[in-house]
Amino acid sequence: MMKKNKRAIAILFLCTFLLMILMSGCGKENGSADKESVKTDKQTYTIVDQLGRNVEIPNNVNKIVCLQHHTLDIILELQAQDKLVGVLSEWETLLGSYAADVFPGIRKLGYPGTISSLNVESVANLKPDVVIVSNQIPEESINQLEKLGIPVVTITLYVADKEQASTIHPDLVNPDEAYTEGLKQAVTLIGQITGKKEKAAELWNYVVTNRAIVSQHLDKIPEKDRIKVYMANEKMNTYGTGKYVGVAMAKAGARNVAETIKGYKQVTVEQVAQWNPQVIFVQSRNASVLNEIKNNKAWAEIDAVKKGKLIIAPDYTKPWGNPTPESMALGEIWLAKTLYPEAFKEVDLDKMVQYFYKNFYGIDYKE
Amino acid sequence: MYEISKVNEIKSSKSYKLLWLILSALVVAVFLLSLTVGKYQVGTFEVCQILFQKIVPFERTWSPLAENMILQVRLPRILAAMVVGAALAVSGAVFQGIFRNPLASPYTLGVSNGAGFGAALAILMFNSSYAIQSFAMLFSLVAVGLTFLLSYKAKNSTITLVLGGIIVGSLFSALISLIKFVADPFEKLPAIVFWLMGSLASLNVDLFKTSLLFFIFFIGIIWLYRWRLNVLSLGDEEAKSFGVDVRRDRIIIIICCSFLTAAAVSISGIIGWVGLVIPHIGRMLVGPDFRKLLPVCILLGSAYLLLIDDLCRTLMTVEIPLGVITAIVGTPLFAYFMLSEKVNW
């Protein structure tokens, strides 16, 4: 018995030893030597991504894997789609089919991951120069890609201190500034990486110009006449403060009735009745929600329903949790014009939309 | 008893050794196969060169990317799959033995629900892999501790342990639902759900390296208890008549198994069916004798989970959760054994 146990212990030690040797194979000594050899054949420069990480990017980026749908959208606006070799698999649900109108080749690309997970080998197999991910990707996946010598850039679309930025559900103190600065940073970064700096600057300038138009015209409307707005989503969810929709409403002179709640949350009909919004609007992908509201007696006495102010936001407004250049440049002006048609009557929004689509996406806008 | 078992051992030792050799060869074969498959194309010959470059000086014809892919991405993940599979199979076999219940699994005492709660809480609050793994570990042990406490206040028989496990498990699964409800539906919830389904896609290599010794230590202790395990699985009365301190030994063994399972779950998330099915297959091959069952379970468990993980990372371009595939493969397998009456008890 004792003898057998000794043998068992000896075998165990042997196992440990073997495993240790194997594991030391995955150690770091190989990594450093290899990274050198990867670096020498390419000129690189260092950027700081939106999680505050330093990333070395090759000067000439020709292959990009993009696993963040807002970034994909911006790449399309900068007309850098020919550099894409892989995108996130759910791009169509998250962005809409217009992405395929702008860039028909998107259906033939590799789909090596989603917004929140990626397959390291699938990504590496596309041999990208840069991988762009959201802050929902586990840090291990990023580490693995970096060990393979593939630079990873994180895009969050908002600016916050480091701790806030890595939490996906930020408690932004000043959401307006955080999203505006964040989107500006993102557009600049993506312009830099894709080699489309001028186009990126043009895009951001257009956003700034249009926002100025909105605030100029809103000056005429006194604070007390600002309209109370509720945004209806599926399953009684709405956007409170801390999400971009709240910022867009504020910029467009609307008062978000849900300003007392944080983030994207479920509310009750009673709560909405209490708020009694004057206008209810929905994203175009949630158009069916409006019919539910119309047909539901519980909603009948709410101001917006009584006066028939139920509005579907057009595709180009993109009133989502995170901002896009389009939602800032066109969405805010659309909302303001819809709420205060008198004040904005000389603003030709249709022309702006056509200009934006032609100049940035390179296609005509169709309803 | 000793004499009889001696005779049996001699009679079957030859075929057992053969089986052992076959299974070991199987594990090595699956290991090598796993190194060569993946979404990133590396030739089989190149894989061998990379693997043995320290021993045989090859000329470096392969790309550094391929080398890192094999050594930094595939190898750690493969080893993790094997270790987790072995740990789950061993603790499944032990639990089935000492609870004398063919339906017992490593999760019977509420380990999985406790770990799930810990991980969900960590995802909600911190979202760092260190936090997730340590919370999973901590709360799985809390769950087992509660189960023990319950059965200690009752009579501490195996039945009250199993019942306590069900109670504690239900409590923690309700708490998991609560966290899922509170979590942000777009951002936190998918991460929690994905963790609960089990995956090795975002394995933290450094943490895995440190927990390796841990696995070996507890499997080692269970191996030293293989004789007692045989006696304990006869039932309390019989075990007592052999002069075994039933209560003490059972507690030591259960604690070891719980640590083993908790460590496995904290690395990989909740993977069902391995700890239930593999011990049955092992028993089919070598019978209920733990001296043979334990090594067979280690070999079978590691090979099985490794194969399943290969499927997870190669079937689609995105990762598939491990727990899903183990259940899809495991249930028909188990049904087959049940129908063909090969599950002897």
Side-chain angles (χ1 to χ4, degrees), chain A residues 209-226:
Chain A
T209 317
N210 272 20
R211 279 191 140 182
I213 296 175
V214 175
S215 62
Q216 271 164 27
H217 286 78
L218 278 177
D219 280 348
K220 298 174 211 159
I221 296 153
E223 199 64 39
K224 65 175 171 52
D225 293 342
R226 299 282 162 104

Side-chain angles (χ1 to χ4, degrees), chain A residues 110-128:
Chain A
Y111 300 146
T114 66
I115 184 92
S116 56
S117 71
L118 58 80
N119 183 320
V120 176
E121 297 206 10
S122 301
V123 172
N125 202 33
L126 295 168
K127 312 217 163 45

Side-chain angles (χ1 to χ4, degrees), chain A residues 291-302:
Chain A
N291 285 327
E292 286 167 31
I293 291 176
K294 274 182 207 157
N295 298 331
N296 191 337
K297 286 239 165 61
W299 288 77
E301 282 309 303
I302 291 170

Side-chain angles (χ1 to χ4, degrees), chain B residues 19-345:
Chain B
L19 180 76
W20 210 89
L21 273 179
I22 293 172
L23 286 180
S24 308
L26 177 80
V27 171
V28 174
V30 174
F31 173 79
L32 291 176
L33 173 83
S34 307
L35 274 175
T36 56
V37 299
K39 284 286 161 191
Y40 185 84
Q41 314 286 331
V42 187
T44 316
F45 184 61
E46 272 181 341
V47 171
C48 296
Q49 280 184 320
I50 292 167
L51 205 59
F52 296 114
Q53 58 172 330
K54 290 234 175 92
I55 308 162
V56 191
F58 289 111
E59 201 187 333
R60 278 180 167 251
T61 49
W62 59 88
S63 67
L65 186 62
E67 175 170 339
N68 280 340
M69 181 59 78
I70 301 296
L71 296 179
Q72 314 269 358
V73 177
R74 283 191 197 159
L75 189 58
R77 183 163 173 172
I78 286 169
L79 292 179
M82 292 172 76
V83 169
V84 169
L88 290 176
V90 164
S91 52
V94 172
F95 277 162
Q96 285 172 6
I98 53 176
F99 293 138
R100 296 161 47 75
N101 184 341
L103 290 177
S105 78
Y107 304 147
T108 301
L109 297 183
V111 173
S112 59
N113 291 324
F117 171 72
L121 196 65
I123 292 171
L124 193 69
M125 296 194 322
F126 311 108
N127 208 31
S128 100
S129 61
Y130 287 92
I132 295 172
Q133 203 162 326
S134 41
F135 266 56
M137 181 91 192
L138 180 73
F139 277 95
S140 56
L141 295 175
V142 167
V144 180
L146 280 176
T147 305
F148 258 113
L149 208 67
L150 273 179
S151 77
Y152 181 76
K153 292 282 175 196
K155 245 178 58 196
N156 202 15
S157 69
T158 49
I159 292 291
T160 55
L161 260 175
V162 174
L163 273 177
I166 292 172
I167 295 169
V168 173
S170 310
L171 172 70
F172 276 107
S173 91
L175 289 175
I176 293 175
S177 301
L178 181 69
I179 290 190
K180 280 187 186 169
F181 174 73
V182 184
D184 185 291
F186 290 118
E187 289 151 355
K188 297 278 181 182
L189 190 59
I192 295 175
V193 172
F194 200 74
W195 194 92
L196 291 176
M197 291 190 289
S199 173
L200 288 168
S202 48
L203 172 76
N204 185 324
V205 181
D206 294 333
L207 272 175
F208 172 60
K209 272 191 212 169
T210 38
S211 55
L212 255 182
L213 272 179
F214 201 79
F215 282 105
I216 292 166
F217 177 73
F218 284 109
I219 290 185
I221 292 187
I222 292 169
W223 174 248
L224 295 180
Y225 267 94
R226 62 200 182 279
W227 292 89
R228 302 275 172 88
L229 273 168
N230 279 344
V231 179
L232 280 173
S233 58
L234 294 173
D236 285 11
E237 296 301 317
E238 286 82 350
K240 269 179 201 151
S241 71
F242 277 105
V244 170
D245 185 343
V246 175
R247 198 165 154 150
R248 191 200 63 194
D249 285 356
R250 194 162 55 212
I251 288 177
I252 292 175
I253 291 167
I254 289 176
I255 287 175
C256 288
C257 279
S258 300
F259 269 99
L260 205 54
T261 315
V265 169
S266 69
I267 286 177
S268 64
I270 298 166
I271 300 167
W273 288 95
V274 179
L276 185 63
V277 176
I278 296 297
H280 283 291
I281 299 175
R283 227 173 273 114
M284 230 174 67
L285 291 172
V286 294
D289 183 349
F290 276 95
R291 290 169 299 169
K292 292 172 185 169
L293 185 58
L294 288 178
V296 166
C297 277
I298 290 175
L299 294 174
L300 276 176
S302 52
Y304 178 71
L305 197 63
L306 185 49
L307 270 178
I308 299 279
D309 189 50
D310 289 347
L311 290 179
C312 289
R313 61 194 171 93
T314 53
L315 271 186
M316 292 203 257
T317 53
V318 292
E319 295 271 351
I320 310 169
L322 260 174
V324 175
I325 306 281
T326 52
I328 291 175
V329 177
T331 39
L333 213 60
F334 200 55
Y336 166 75
F337 291 135
M338 199 184 74
L339 292 177
S340 58
E341 291 175 10
K342 279 181 178 155
V343 179
N344 302 314
W345 194 261

